[in-house]
């Protein structure tokens, strides 16, 4: 590595963190506070204890998943920059990973792959794709039990641990989604189902820490192969793995029902062990009164995360939010401490395992012998993730039970990727600058389901939607056979809005979108997109694209300044009314139509490039505007 360049990167990152400290301090969220502590402890790479050199370690991936959540929720690029800087220490330009040895067949080494996949999906850089493929290839030859379960490690033959489901399966499922390797989902489903079947106590529903298919380990029950105890963090790993993997599954995949069933059984069992006095969980949850047992931070964080995210994604009943809220209050009281101006997490057991040298027999005495430390990275990462989820609960899950439908009929563009034509441009899946992934994430953050509509809108396929979004209708330049707006489609959409739907129209300037036919729809609400082009921006002169938002704006409460470039102005008549103007031009409008509402702007505007924080100067509030519009859209229309 070029030492001078590396030092420059470190100095730049340190400067960014220093500049951001005031912002983070103002936020005063526990997630941000503990993430800052992690960034201070591990500013560049990852080394623990007496280690002098950084290592490719799953612990780091737990923290980075929490940091990813902060970036997505806030649009603050400092979080993304830290994540990328951390991974770039290991991922080389040719896609190799410093310190990673596939032939070790350690399932733990797969966990950081989630951060690698994120970087590939956001930046499109080839080195991240190659690194992700390297990790996926380990799973092609990873040793398995006779029933097809991944061994935890090559040095632990025939064994599956609950920990291993978290280390491998969420990455495996996301890889399947990103690269279209759909058969992987069957394997992911098998891993969870197998582990539940082999480790579950039929009386309590609880899952034991480990399972030895060979029954050769001294810790293994000779009849069942299970380890002697239910360990709190192992339960946490399994629960987090379930909700994170489920998030990647395509709608309609039979594995969704299988994993949802497992998750519901899991939630029932773990909430029965939640300590009533503190709200959190013991290290050995089934033995709360056993001498020496203690309340443990990482397990509690993980189980809170599992319950809260399971509810938000619609896989668990809403009743479990009460358990999550009680647990989070206990988590803050028991373990989260601000000391000397720094946030710290107390009460995390450093490690617990089975077998190995010296031998760990899985007894209660063994679990109690492991050290409990402050600022263990596994606990910190789990806490940040749990705190992120609870911040979403605090802000209100107004989208629960609602569906947001994104058009992929009028906007239907493709590009070549590794010899295949793949859909892109304003889609939920696209995390590059051209996508709508950030908006999709914001809708799901509020409990809504996001789907896409590939066909012309009809009464039948709009029936289940609460919000319908159409972005940048294609011209012949963008699609060989564009689907233009018709009177029939416009009438179907208008009837749906009249019945209580919320329609978001994001057009584009003249030359970059079809407007004449698109106005067949817009005119039904008193809106016409003019064939003009305003707010022109030269290069990076961002102020040329500034648009002021008045304090009384009915949609963008708390937003003062946004960036919109090259927009088509709006001509309005009743029932439409302007909500944002610039230089006498109508920039944004709403229209009440029957029981529903319409929002319109002559620009795609809220795609990733101008929402995820990686491009615009920090004083533009496009991310805040996106959050406000999402909140507004989910609270309009029929109740």
């Amino acid at each position: 590595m070029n030492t001078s360049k590396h030092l420059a990167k470190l100095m730049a990152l340190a400067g960014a963190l220093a500049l951001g400290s005031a912002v983070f301090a103002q936020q005063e969220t526990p997630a941000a506070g503990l993430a800052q502590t992690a960034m201070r402890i591990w500013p560049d790479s990852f080394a623990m204890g007496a280690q002098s050199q950084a290592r490719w370690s799953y612990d780091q991936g737990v923290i980075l998943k929490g940091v990813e959540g902060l970036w997505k929720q806030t649009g603050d690029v400092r979080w993304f920059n830290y994540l990328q800087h951390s991974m770039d220490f290991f991922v080389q330009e040719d896609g190799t990973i410093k310190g990673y040895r596939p032939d070790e067949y350690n399932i733990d080494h797969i966990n950081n792959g989630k951060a690698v996949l994120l970087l590939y999906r956001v930046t499109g850089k080839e080195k991240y794709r190659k690194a992700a493929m390297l990790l996926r290839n380990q799973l092609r030859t990873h040793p398995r039990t006779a029933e097809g379960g991944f061994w935890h490690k090559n040095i632990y033959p025939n064994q599956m641990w609950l920990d291993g489901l978290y280390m491998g399966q969420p990455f495996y499922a996301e890889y399947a989604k990103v690269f279209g390797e759909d058969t992987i989902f069957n394997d992911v489903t098998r891993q969870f189902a197998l582990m539940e079947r082999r480790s579950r106590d039929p009386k309590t529903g609880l899952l034991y820490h480990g399972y030895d298919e060979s029954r050769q380990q001294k810790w293994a029950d000779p009849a069942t192969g299970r380890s002697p105890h239910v360990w709190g963090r192992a339960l946490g790993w399994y629960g987090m793995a379930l909700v994170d993997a489920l998030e990647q599954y395509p709608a309609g995949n039979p594995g969704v029902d299988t994993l949802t069933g497992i998750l519901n059984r899991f939630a029932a069992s773990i909430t029965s062990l939640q300590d009533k006095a503190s709200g959190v969980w013991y290290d050995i949850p089934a033995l709360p009164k056993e001498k020496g047992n203690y309340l443990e931070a990482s397990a509690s964080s993980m189980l809170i995360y599992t319950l809260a995210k399971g509810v938000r994604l619609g896989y668990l009943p809403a009743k479990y939010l009460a358990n999550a809220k009680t647990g989070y209050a206990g988590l803050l009281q028991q373990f989260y401490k601000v000391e000397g101006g720094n946030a710290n997490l107390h009460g995390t057991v450093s490690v617990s395992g089975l077998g190995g040298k010296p031998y760990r027999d899985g007894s209660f005495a063994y679990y109690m012998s492991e050290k409990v430390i402050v600022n263990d990275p596994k606990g910190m990462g789990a806490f940040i993730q749990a705190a992120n989820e609870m911040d979403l609960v605090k802000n209100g899950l107004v989208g629960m039970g609602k569906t947001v439908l994104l058009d992929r009929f009028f906007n239907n563009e493709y590009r070549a990727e590794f010899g295949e034509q793949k859909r892109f441009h304003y889609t939920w899946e696209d995390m590059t600058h051209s996508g709508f992934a950030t908006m999709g994430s914001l809708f799901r953050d509020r409990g809504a389901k996001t789907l896409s509509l590939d066909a012309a809108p009809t009464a039948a396929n709009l029936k289940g939607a609460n919000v319908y979004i159409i972005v940048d209708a294609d011209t012949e330049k963008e699609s060989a056979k564009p689907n233009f707006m018709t009177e029939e489609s416009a009438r179907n959409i208008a009837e749906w809005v009249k019945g209580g739907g919320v329609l978001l129209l994001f057009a584009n300037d003249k030359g970059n979108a079809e407007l004449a036919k698109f106005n067949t729809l817009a005119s039904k609400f008193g809106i016409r997109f003019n064939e003009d082009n305003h707010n022109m921006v030269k290069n990076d002169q961002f102020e040329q694209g500034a648009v002021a938002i008045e304090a009384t704006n009915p949609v963008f409460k708390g937003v003062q300044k946004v960036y919109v470039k090259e927009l088509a102005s709006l001509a309005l008549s009743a029932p439409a009314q302007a909500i944002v103007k610039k230089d006498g031009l109508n920039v944004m409008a709403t229209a009440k139509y029957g029981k529903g509402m319409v929002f319109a702007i002559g620009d795609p505007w809220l795609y990733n490039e101008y929402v995820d924080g990686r491009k615009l100067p920090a004083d533009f509030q496009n991310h805040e505007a996106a959050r406000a519009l999402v909140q507004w859209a989910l609270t309009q229309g029929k109740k």
Side-chain angles (χ1 to χ4, degrees), residues 487-526:
E487 175 59 35
E488 181 183 3
S489 290
R491 186 169 59 249
N492 290 337
I493 296 170
E495 285 300 311
W496 171 80
V497 174
K498 185 183 291 185
V502 178
L503 177 65
L504 306 184
L505 298 177
F506 294 83
N508 212 331
D509 59 276
K510 178 183 177 181
N512 284 308
E514 196 290 313
L515 296 179
K517 295 179 178 65
F518 196 60
N519 278 330
T520 304
L521 171 63
S523 62
K524 293 187 179 298
F525 315 111

Side-chain angles (χ1 to χ4, degrees), residues 380-414:
M380 295 172 78
F383 177 93
I384 296 166
Q385 293 183 60
N388 284 338
E389 282 296 329
M390 296 312 297
D391 282 342
L392 297 177
V393 170
K394 178 181 66 179
N395 292 333
L397 299 179
V398 297
M400 289 294 295
K402 296 183 178 181
T403 297
V404 182
L405 202 57
L406 179 63
D407 162 69
R408 295 200 310 190
F409 181 74
F410 303 109
N411 176 260
N412 185 32
E413 297 180 62
Y414 291 80

Side-chain angles (χ1 to χ4, degrees), residues 259-425:
L259 296 195
T260 300
I262 295 173
L263 178 61
N264 277 265
R265 292 189 290 274
F266 181 82
S269 68
I270 62 168
T271 51
S272 70
L273 299 178
Q274 190 171 9
D275 181 55
K276 290 181 172 58
S278 66
V280 293
W281 283 261
Y282 278 85
D283 187 53
I284 306 297
L287 300 174
K289 297 181 180 180
E290 196 76 13
K291 185 178 179 181
N293 205 357
Y294 56 90
L295 300 173
E296 205 276 334
S298 66
S300 300
S301 297
M302 292 173 178
L303 297 175
I304 291 163
Y305 173 86
T306 300
L307 296 172
K309 186 170 182 177
V311 171
R312 177 172 64 81
L313 295 180
Y315 298 119
L316 287 176
K319 67 179 183 178
Y320 287 114
L321 274 185
N323 298 90
K325 290 177 180 178
T326 299
Y328 188 53
L331 197 64
L332 292 175
Q333 183 176 7
Q334 296 284 334
F335 305 117
Y336 181 78
K337 312 291 182 185
V338 179
E339 301 160 317
N342 297 317
N344 296 310
L345 185 71
H346 292 247
T348 299
V349 62
S350 59
V351 67
S352 290
L354 297 165
K357 296 179 181 180
Y359 196 82
R360 299 167 294 185
D361 62 4
S363 65
F364 180 82
Y366 158 69
Y367 283 108
M368 293 303 102
S369 71
E370 293 289 7
K371 293 180 180 179
V372 178
I373 64 175
V374 178
N375 291 339
D376 177 88
K378 300 176 290 296
M380 295 172 78
F383 177 93
I384 296 166
Q385 293 183 60
N388 284 338
E389 282 296 329
M390 296 312 297
D391 282 342
L392 297 177
V393 170
K394 178 181 66 179
N395 292 333
L397 299 179
V398 297
M400 289 294 295
K402 296 183 178 181
T403 297
V404 182
L405 202 57
L406 179 63
D407 162 69
R408 295 200 310 190
F409 181 74
F410 303 109
N411 176 260
N412 185 32
E413 297 180 62
Y414 291 80
R415 65 183 171 193
E417 287 187 15
F418 307 109
E420 295 182 25
Q421 289 295 310
K422 291 194 175 181
R423 194 187 291 271
F424 87 112
H425 224 191

